[in-house]
């Protein structure tokens, strides 16, 4: 019996797959099939009745996707994982599974724009209400929990303001009220932060980002208890149907193998850039959880391995000057998404978070001057020089 490694770097490569089960194929085969044949009509009946385990139809399960799910469950320290066709499919499946009409959710004051859109839709269609909470202390959280509250949902670090929420603090309050805590862990990847180890109940990823790492897949993941994931698999995943395609699962498996080394490089580059950018006169503020001057630095140190590969900054300038700066970049690409090899820059107020009404957006700290940079894997000096030459244009 092979000894199971406890090292993250080894697990992302070996866990959940044994080439002996796949004709010796080193790389996980892509089971590019919509359906699976049964030996007999009786076997088909047993599969559907759950009396015998086997693949039925790729919306209900696919062997390539299973390898990915097992690997992610293992590296997030969870019991089970489900893969989805996008981060939003994962978020909607989890939130719709944890709520019913007239329920209430407490949400971090700062979330991805489409998550905001989803919460608005849930409110309009099913009267599932939400309150935003800064989650800076227990008191703020307790004040917003109602009898109808069924879960606490948060991002940390928050997209794009880079505020950090103390997960242990949230868990301690949630436990008093017996509420599940759902964490969008996209900005960290499981390499930098493991919310389940800190007592949270569900972790969500837009796997489109660091887990893929190469900008060629849109995908989502949810990790949690066997019981909850089985319930989601049979309801909001199976029947709403936002599943992951086998080829996309394969691309994620390939990306995962290099997640630790990519993350180390993203983090190193980011720290160097942040240190440099803080000294530039046109920059009003730089927000990076790994910066010792960041107000949440102590929480970062407690729950994250490094500060991550993203930061945001405010430029002293008009909207036109900000656009001139972005247009002047020669190597850094103007694009949403994050976590890719290429450095990507975007303006949250007019791009990722533009669906959020202005007053709510400003209350989240997303000003018109805020710019977000997803630091790529290029030489950090080249990223710095590109920013420098473009700042000179304004
Ligand atoms: N959660 C977070 C924190 C995200 O940043 C995103 C996408 C999602 C969930 C949704 O994932 P998707 O469905 O796109 O896989 N964030 C984007 C962003 O900041 N720029 O472009 C997409």
């Amino acid at each position: 019996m092979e000894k199971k490694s406890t090292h993250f770097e080894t697990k992302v490569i070996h866990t959940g797959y044994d080439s002996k089960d796949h004709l010796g194929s080193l790389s996980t085969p892509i089971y590019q099939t919509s359906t699976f044949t049964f030996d007999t009509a009786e076997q088909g009946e047993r599969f559907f009745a759950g009396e015998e385990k086997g693949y039925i139809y790729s919306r209900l399960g696919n062997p390539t996707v299973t390898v990915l799910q097992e690997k992610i469950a293992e590296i997030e320290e969870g019991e089970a994982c489900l893969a989805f066709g996008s981060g939003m499919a994962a978020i909607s499946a989890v939130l719709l599974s944890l709520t019913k009409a007239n329920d209430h959710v407490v949400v971090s004051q700062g979330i991805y724009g489409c998550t905001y859109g989803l919460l608005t839709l849930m409110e309009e269609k099913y009267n599932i209400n939400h309150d935003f909470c800064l989650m800076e202390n227990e008191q703020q959280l307790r004040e917003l929990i109602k009898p109808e509250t069924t879960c606490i949902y948060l991002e940390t670090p928050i997209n794009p303001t880079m505020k950090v929420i103390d997960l242990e603090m949230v868990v301690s309050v949630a436990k008093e009220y017996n509420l599940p805590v759902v964490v969008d862990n996209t900005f960290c990847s499981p390499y930098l932060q493991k919310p389940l180890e800190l007592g949270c109940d569900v972790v969500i990823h837009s796997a489109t980002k660091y887990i893929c790492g190469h900008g060629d897949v849109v995908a989502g993941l949810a990790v949690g208890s066997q019981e909850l994931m089985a319930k989601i698999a049979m309801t909001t995943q199976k029947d709403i149907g936002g599943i992951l395609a086998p080829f996309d699962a394969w691309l994620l498996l390939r990306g995962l193998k290099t997640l630790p080394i990519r993350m180390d490089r993203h983090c190193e580059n980011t720290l160097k850039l942040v240190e440099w950018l803080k000294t530039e006169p046109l920059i009003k503020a730089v927000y990076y959880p790994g910066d010792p001057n960041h107000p949440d630095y102590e929480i970062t140190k407690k729950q994250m391995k490094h500060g991550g590969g993203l930061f945001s900054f405010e430029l002293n300038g008009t909207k036109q000057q900000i656009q001139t700066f972005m247009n002047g970049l020669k190597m850094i690409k103007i694009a949403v998404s994050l976590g890719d090899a290429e450095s990507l820059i975007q303006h949250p107020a007019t791009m990722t978070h533009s669906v959020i009404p202005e007053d709510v957006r400003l209350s989240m700290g997303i000003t018109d001057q805020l710019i977000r940079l997803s630091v790529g894997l290029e030489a950090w000096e080249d990223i710095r020089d590109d920013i420098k030459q473009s700042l000179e244009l304004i």
Side-chain angles (χ1 to χ4, degrees):
M1 183 71 185
E2 260 178 72
K3 185 176 160 286
K4 265 192 157 185
S5 174
T6 53
H7 294 284
F8 191 94
E9 293 77 357
T10 307
K11 284 194 211 173
V12 288
I13 296 169
H14 290 287
T15 299
Y17 182 72
D18 188 345
S19 57
K20 291 199 197 84
D21 300 335
H22 300 271
L23 304 173
S25 176
L26 177 69
S27 166
T28 310
I30 304 169
Y31 285 86
Q32 191 68 32
T33 183
S34 56
T35 198
F36 298 82
T37 58
F38 309 130
D39 292 342
T40 60
E42 289 81 357
Q43 189 191 45
E45 186 181 8
R46 288 195 300 277
F47 278 10
F48 269 88
E51 293 161 8
E52 190 180 328
K53 249 180 104 69
Y55 290 101
I56 297 174
Y57 182 66
S58 278
R59 179 158 45 75
L60 315 180
N62 173 284
T64 312
V65 178
T66 301
V67 175
L68 173 72
Q69 291 177 160
E70 288 186 5
K71 222 181 259 283
I72 298 288
E74 178 85 17
I75 61 175
E76 270 292 4
E77 310 292 335
E79 286 176 13
C81 167
L82 293 174
F84 295 85
S86 69
M88 286 317 303
I91 295 170
S92 53
V94 169
L95 279 178
L96 290 172
S97 174
L98 293 175
T99 53
K100 58 178 181 353
N102 306 318
D103 281 347
H104 173 257
V105 183
V106 180
V107 181
S108 54
Q109 189 152 341
I111 41 167
Y112 171 55
C114 294
T115 310
Y116 180 88
L118 171 69
L119 289 167
T120 308
L121 186 80
M122 286 164 60
E123 190 153 38
E124 284 167 6
K125 283 184 85 77
Y126 309 114
N127 196 36
I128 300 167
N129 301 300
H130 59 270
D131 275 305
F132 290 118
C133 180
L134 283 169
M135 300 192 190
E136 289 165 338
N137 56 53
E138 296 189 0
Q139 180 67 11
Q140 287 170 350
L141 204 49
R142 281 204 189 92
E143 273 169 13
L144 293 172
I145 294 173
K146 303 177 183 186
E148 313 85 79
T149 307
T150 57
C151 77
I152 298 174
Y153 181 94
L154 65 111
E155 280 178 20
T156 182
I158 294 176
N159 182 3
T161 55
M162 310 309 295
K163 288 182 187 152
V164 179
I165 293 171
D166 185 340
L167 291 171
E168 280 176 325
M169 181 278 289
V170 174
V171 166
S172 74
V173 176
K175 286 218 182 325
E176 282 171 36
Y177 296 85
N178 207 15
L179 293 173
V181 178
V182 181
V183 180
D184 184 330
N185 203 22
T186 300
F187 270 34
C188 283
S189 88
Y191 183 59
L192 298 187
Q193 177 171 273
K194 293 202 182 69
L196 300 178
E197 274 189 346
L198 300 174
C200 300
D201 300 277
V202 180
V203 161
I204 292 175
H205 285 282
S206 166
T208 316
K209 313 291 159 41
Y210 290 110
I211 289 178
C212 169
H214 296 75
D216 45 19
V217 176
V218 174
L221 300 161
V223 192
S225 71
Q226 190 73 50
E227 190 187 346
L228 180 62
M229 292 302 123
K231 183 182 155 207
I232 294 173
M234 293 309 285
T235 55
T236 50
Q237 188 184 46
K238 173 173 79 70
D239 297 334
I240 296 180
I243 52 111
L244 187 67
F247 180 57
D248 289 353
W250 183 86
L251 285 169
L252 293 182
L253 284 165
R254 185 165 70 164
L256 255 184
K257 292 182 188 180
T258 55
L259 177 69
I261 50 175
R262 285 188 284 108
M263 287 314 292
D264 282 344
R265 177 62 173 263
H266 283 299
C267 294
E268 269 170 41
N269 275 359
T270 308
L271 197 56
K272 287 179 186 156
L273 280 167
V274 165
E275 284 307 315
W276 163 74
L277 196 65
K278 283 197 300 189
T279 63
E280 282 293 296
L282 278 169
I283 305 301
K284 199 161 105 186
V286 178
Y287 305 103
Y288 180 55
D291 173 3
N293 296 324
H294 188 285
D296 305 325
Y297 182 63
E298 289 308 314
I299 311 173
T300 304
K301 276 204 305 193
K302 193 168 75 150
Q303 66 192 29
M304 288 167 62
K305 191 178 158 98
H306 296 286
L310 281 145
F311 70 93
S312 54
F313 58 99
E314 283 178 300
L315 196 63
N316 253 332
T318 61
K319 182 176 169 188
Q320 206 192 344
Q321 284 172 314
I322 286 169
Q323 289 180 334
T324 302
F325 161 70
M326 290 173 72
N327 294 339
L329 294 164
K330 295 199 165 103
M331 180 187 76
I332 300 169
K333 307 292 179 208
I334 306 172
V336 295
S337 204
L338 56 105
D340 293 332
E342 297 82 0
S343 290
L344 304 178
I345 201 159
Q346 68 110 0
H347 182 237
T350 57
M351 297 178 186
T352 49
H353 292 68
S354 57
V355 296
I356 305 178
E358 191 182 6
D359 56 331
V360 182
R361 173 168 66 70
L362 292 173
S363 78
M364 291 175 169
I366 307 168
T367 64
D368 292 341
Q369 293 178 316
L370 193 74
I371 296 172
R372 187 189 76 187
L373 184 70
S374 168
V375 179
L377 302 176
E378 303 98 340
W380 86 273
E381 295 91 339
D382 288 331
I383 309 173
R384 175 198 60 196
D385 292 350
D386 198 17
I387 297 173
K388 208 180 167 105
Q389 65 79 24
S390 205
L391 280 175
E392 281 162 13
L393 303 176
I394 60 171

